[in-house]
Amino acid sequence: FSHFLIMMTSMPVRLSIIFACIFTAAATTTHTTSRITTATTAHKNIRNAAFCHNYKKGEIYSNIKREQNAFFSWCDIGVAATTPSRILSPTFSSSFHFSKNIADDDDESYDKAKVASPWYSDPSLKRDRSKILLSPNESAASPKSRFVLFHGSNGVIYTKQGEDVDPLLFNYEELIKILGEKTMDAILSSSEKGGGDGDDGTVLAWLGNRNEIDYWALYLTENGNNIIPSEQVLSSIRQLLESKNDAGTSVQISPVREIGDVLQSVNDAALLSTANGLIEFHKAHPFCSKCGSRTTPSKAGASRRCSNDKCTAKSTYPRIDVASIMLVTSPCENYALLGRKSFWPKGRYSTLSGFAEVGETLEECCIRETYEESGVIVDPTSVRFVLSQPWPFPRSLMVGFRAKAVDVVATKDDDVMDDNSKGENTSKRGALPVINRCEEEMEDVAWFHRDYVAPRIETGGSTALTFEPSEEEAEFHIPGKASLASILISMWANE
């Protein structure tokens, strides 16, 4: 059509048309390039926000949504194909354990991402048991296998040297020296799948493989005819350590939750929590729920099988109780809604949480539980997923959210602190949503200002129920690094 116009017009008009076409093409190219750059930048910003939580104050989730929409709108027309190949697809991830080459080149953002890694989680622990099921007993007796040892209701056996706490990992030969060859042979031969369940309830369960090493949990029961007292086991372990010139190390036994915050390695924490969850499962299901017959471990400890061949309930698998845990802020986001249970150590405050009910989404659970425990109404449009964490004490999965309370009409002077608020009032805020806590569940629920919380979260804290707080911590502290609540609170406090 352009050629036709040129042929039909005079020279001056021809030149005008040519310059107009050139200008239009240049403008279109510049505009398209600009929009491609915008889409690519949006994609990178999505990664920074989703993986590294490198949020700006007051723009935590709105930027993610806006940039996500901008990026996907360009994906539809193929412009985003110009994005560098090393950038991940625009899919949000809940895992914060990733290699440096996947993360942004910004070292500070990468370090923040590592801080946000949930405790008790280790993606390097491979859980595919297809190979282990081919020869579980052979694998368990292999020199490369390692075992964590649990005893009855006392918990896991570990070592403590000064403030350092580490799990004891035994090889098969060392277990023979501790428990005796007869006992170990009986454990291995008690199940064709290597589940290891004797008449007294002793359990052997495969945990996973890391760096070509198979990890197992061995649970020694307190019941039955073949009891080995915990003191006898600890004494044998001390003798074993002395033979290795490691007599200065203290050997102790405790529930995993009580030592979770002081473990030195996230890998060890994940290993012990997985073991704890599986052992609690086996302890809770010794009999079939349908026919009442005894059950035995199967699939290398991953499930239990009814011993009655005529029973239609073939297998039982671990139940996972899913719970929402949420940091709810005031509409201005300067205050966080925190509460405490009566049986917690003095001064401990945490985010609200609760288990999902039948027919309920996790977002709905977040809203309901907040209202039930505090009387505060959550804005449904503000609920955003942050990250999740295994919490096998005994069988939970915590799903973390961020949300805002519904705005309220100010009923008090902006500079006046109401009775439900704790902390210094360093800025005008408007009235805070009124708290009407459930006295049966919560001992206290309050609004805490960021300026009050931020300097106090450095004290450490703990998730242990036997934790003895210092004088400062007895006034206020949050759960320790093992808790997802600690991550949610710290992220907000440091914005």
Side-chain angles (χ1 to χ4, degrees):
F1 179 72
S2 298
H3 288 296
F4 173 76
L5 288 178
I6 292 174
M7 293 294 294
M8 297 298 292
T9 55
S10 60
M11 181 60 69
V13 177
R14 293 179 191 175
L15 292 175
S16 298
I17 293 174
I18 290 172
F19 282 124
C21 290
I22 293 173
F23 177 80
T24 302
T28 302
T29 302
T30 302
H31 183 62
T32 302
T33 303
S34 174
R35 297 179 74 176
I36 291 174
T37 303
T38 300
T40 304
T41 302
H43 189 182
K44 181 177 181 180
N45 289 342
I46 290 173
R47 283 194 307 121
N48 288 345
F51 285 101
C52 301
H53 291 278
N54 191 17
Y55 303 131
K56 292 183 179 179
K57 185 176 179 180
E59 300 176 335
I60 298 174
Y61 295 110
S62 59
N63 282 348
I64 297 178
K65 188 66 178 176
R66 181 172 62 252
E67 291 171 345
Q68 181 188 20
N69 291 338
F71 182 80
F72 283 123
S73 66
W74 281 103
C75 284
D76 292 338
I77 60 174
V79 176
T82 60
T83 304
S85 59
R86 71 182 292 269
I87 296 180
L88 299 180
S89 60
T91 302
F92 289 96
S93 171
S94 62
S95 174
F96 290 83
H97 298 279
F98 50 86
S99 59
K100 181 71 187 296
N101 64 334
I102 297 180
D104 192 86
D105 292 332
D106 184 352
D107 288 337
E108 183 178 356
S109 297
Y110 176 69
D111 290 338
K112 288 180 180 179
K114 289 193 294 184
V115 171
S117 300
W119 206 241
Y120 299 128
S121 171
D122 179 16
S124 69
L125 186 65
K126 300 175 183 177
R127 303 172 191 269
D128 177 12
R129 61 186 65 238
S130 56
K131 292 184 179 180
I132 209 73
L133 292 179
L134 298 176
S135 54
N137 291 357
E138 182 179 337
S139 172
S142 168
K144 287 188 175 182
S145 290
R146 295 294 180 269
F147 299 80
V148 290
L149 197 56
F150 286 70
H151 194 287
S153 59
N154 297 315
V156 67
I157 299 175
Y158 64 96
T159 62
K160 184 174 183 180
Q161 194 163 16
E163 296 299 321
D164 295 340
V165 172
D166 297 289
L168 275 169
L169 298 175
F170 304 100
N171 60 36
Y172 187 75
E173 293 300 321
E174 289 170 336
L175 284 182
I176 290 178
K177 294 179 180 179
I178 297 170
L179 304 176
E181 187 171 2
K182 181 180 179 180
T183 299
M184 290 307 302
D185 287 344
I187 291 173
L188 286 187
S189 62
S190 61
S191 172
E192 63 179 4
K193 290 297 183 181
D197 186 46
D199 292 337
D200 56 5
T202 299
V203 173
L204 178 65
W206 184 75
L207 305 177
N209 181 288
R210 186 195 301 126
N211 298 328
E212 304 303 322
I213 295 177
D214 286 314
Y215 291 92
W216 299 78
L218 176 57
Y219 167 71
L220 303 176
T221 182
E222 294 176 309
N223 305 311
N225 299 322
N226 299 317
I227 299 176
I228 304 178
S230 59
E231 281 305 317
Q232 180 179 332
V233 174
L234 294 178
S235 177
S236 298
I237 292 174
R238 293 186 184 106
Q239 293 177 14
L240 178 64
L241 293 178
E242 288 176 2
S243 67
K244 296 184 176 183
N245 298 320
D246 198 9
T249 301
S250 173
V251 180
Q252 301 182 24
I253 184 169
S254 172
V256 174
R257 179 172 177 175
E258 297 303 305
I259 61 172
D261 291 291
V262 291
L263 288 169
Q264 303 302 300
S265 164
V266 66
N267 304 106
D268 291 339
L271 201 66
L272 295 190
S273 67
T274 301
N276 189 81
L278 282 173
I279 289 171
E280 290 298 327
F281 157 68
H282 287 286
K283 288 166 60 177
H285 296 82
F287 301 102
C288 177
S289 61
K290 188 161 188 176
C291 73
S293 300
R294 185 173 179 81
T295 61
T296 58
S298 61
K299 297 186 177 180
S303 63
R304 293 187 73 88
R305 183 177 55 227
C306 180
S307 59
N308 181 3
D309 294 335
K310 297 181 180 180
C311 181
T312 57
K314 299 299 182 183
S315 297
T316 301
Y317 289 87
R319 188 183 87 190
I320 306 298
D321 297 337
V322 183
S324 292
I325 179 170
M326 47 278 179
L327 180 76
V328 178
T329 66
S330 59
C332 67
E333 298 190 274
N334 288 326
Y335 293 82
L337 188 65
L338 305 178
R340 61 171 278 104
K341 303 279 189 180
S342 60
F343 58 87
W344 287 358
K346 189 176 181 180
R348 179 175 299 172
Y349 280 84
S350 184
T351 53
L352 304 185
S353 63
F355 293 105
E357 294 187 353
V358 175
E360 185 178 53
T361 67
L362 289 170
E363 291 83 357
E364 291 167 347
C365 174
C366 171
I367 297 169
R368 175 185 54 77
E369 284 288 349
T370 300
Y371 183 75
E372 287 181 357
E373 295 182 350
S374 69
V376 172
I377 301 175
V378 169
D379 178 4
T381 65
S382 71
V383 180
R384 296 291 184 271
F385 168 75
V386 181
L387 74 162
S388 62
Q389 178 196 29
W391 190 257
F393 306 109
R395 52 179 175 269
S396 297
L397 174 66
M398 308 303 293
V399 184
F401 291 93
R402 179 78 175 259
K404 293 181 186 179
V406 171
D407 203 356
V408 295
V409 178
T411 56
K412 298 184 179 182
D413 190 306
D414 285 351
D415 292 322
V416 176
M417 297 293 292
D418 61 48
D419 294 336
N420 287 328
S421 179
K422 297 185 178 182
E424 296 81 0
N425 185 19
T426 58
S427 62
K428 291 178 180 283
R429 54 162 173 81
L432 294 169
V434 175
I435 291 174
N436 184 20
R437 68 180 172 89
C438 175
E439 297 183 0
E440 294 180 357
E441 287 195 54
M442 308 299 295
E443 182 180 70
D444 188 28
V445 179
W447 290 107
F448 288 81
H449 194 279
R450 179 185 284 110
D451 293 343
Y452 179 86
V453 175
R456 289 170 171 81
I457 62 177
E458 303 300 328
T459 57
S462 171
T463 57
L465 297 178
T466 57
F467 176 68
E468 296 182 2
S470 64
E471 183 177 348
E472 182 181 2
E473 291 168 329
E475 177 186 346
F476 176 87
H477 70 274
I478 65 173
K481 66 181 180 181
S483 172
L484 180 54
S486 177
I487 295 178
L488 296 174
I489 295 171
S490 298
M491 287 170 55
W492 163 78
N494 292 315
E495 288 171 2

